[in-house]
Amino acid sequence: RLVDTPPDLMRTSHFEAEARRAVKGLKNVKVRSIVGKDLLAHSMGGIYNVGRCAEVEPRLVVLEYTPKKKARRTVGLVGKGIIYDTGGLDLKVGGSMPKMKSDMGGAAAVLGSFLMLAQTGCPDRVVALCCMAENAIGPASYRSDDILTFHSGKTCEINNTDAEGRLLLADGVSYAARD
């Protein structure tokens, strides 16, 4: 359902609201988010820069489940949530932009997996990270040749703004491993 929602009805804030609604009432679950320029305060230049031009700010939605008994381990789930993928300034060619609303399927799958694990009383601590942005075009768009700094401290030079998913995941995977 989330993947099929039209992009005017599924912005990064809508996804976060859906996630919060979905976990409401579940025991041992916490939700928080890092939004807009706060992403930069957490050194998440990938998520921030991909979504900095969109009308609705990019965000990292963090869902955490802790079992009642001591957890065996911590499991991290990280999903790409490009709400709509225009290709950025490396605009997708005619005919290839329809259905780009589904580019947030990774984040939707992570949310669904998290819900199932939390509802069934998984013996592990589970942290789900939904890296959310819209790869929109405008005066503030990130550009080819920009250098971005990620949560890990690593940098990369952008060669194609339509390769945005890995930029979100670079921040999400590093955050999962380090925080």
Side-chain angles (χ1 to χ4, degrees):
R1 179 181 63 79
L2 296 176
V3 171
D4 285 334
T5 302
D8 59 327
L9 301 176
M10 181 54 66
R11 303 292 181 94
T12 59
S13 58
H14 297 129
F15 185 94
E16 180 179 350
E18 288 273 352
R20 288 181 182 277
R21 247 188 316 277
V23 301
K24 189 173 182 152
L26 288 179
K27 294 181 180 177
N28 308 317
V29 172
K30 296 178 186 174
V31 182
R32 60 191 165 83
S33 61
I34 304 170
V35 181
K37 290 197 176 188
D38 283 345
L39 291 163
L40 292 177
H42 287 83
S43 302
M44 291 190 216
I47 298 171
Y48 175 77
N49 281 291
V50 169
R52 73 184 187 198
C53 186
E55 287 181 320
V56 179
E57 294 177 304
R59 65 198 64 225
L60 177 68
V61 179
V62 181
L63 303 110
E64 184 177 342
Y65 165 77
T66 306
K68 288 181 185 179
K69 295 181 180 179
K70 182 174 169 66
R72 298 181 306 180
R73 61 187 172 190
T74 298
V75 176
L77 306 171
V78 182
K80 175 178 112 175
I82 299 294
I83 295 299
Y84 196 77
D85 182 11
T86 64
L89 292 177
D90 289 308
L91 188 64
K92 291 184 181 297
V93 296
S96 60
M97 209 177 305
K99 301 204 182 345
M100 283 295 107
K101 66 183 179 183
S102 66
D103 214 13
M104 47 75 73
V110 161
L111 175 59
S113 299
F114 177 85
L115 287 171
M116 185 57 65
L117 292 167
Q119 289 168 344
T120 58
C122 178
D124 299 320
R125 177 175 172 256
V126 181
V127 180
L129 304 171
C130 300
C131 308
M132 310 303 301
E134 178 181 354
N135 194 6
I137 299 170
S141 295
Y142 76 112
R143 301 162 300 276
S144 292
D145 299 328
D146 283 357
I147 305 283
L148 304 186
T149 302
F150 300 100
H151 182 267
S152 64
K154 293 187 182 277
T155 60
C156 89
E157 180 178 0
I158 303 303
N159 296 113
N160 184 331
T161 61
D162 194 21
E164 77 293 323
R166 64 198 76 187
L167 306 179
L168 271 68
L169 292 173
D171 281 339
V173 169
S174 175
Y175 188 82
R178 296 168 187 236
D179 293 328

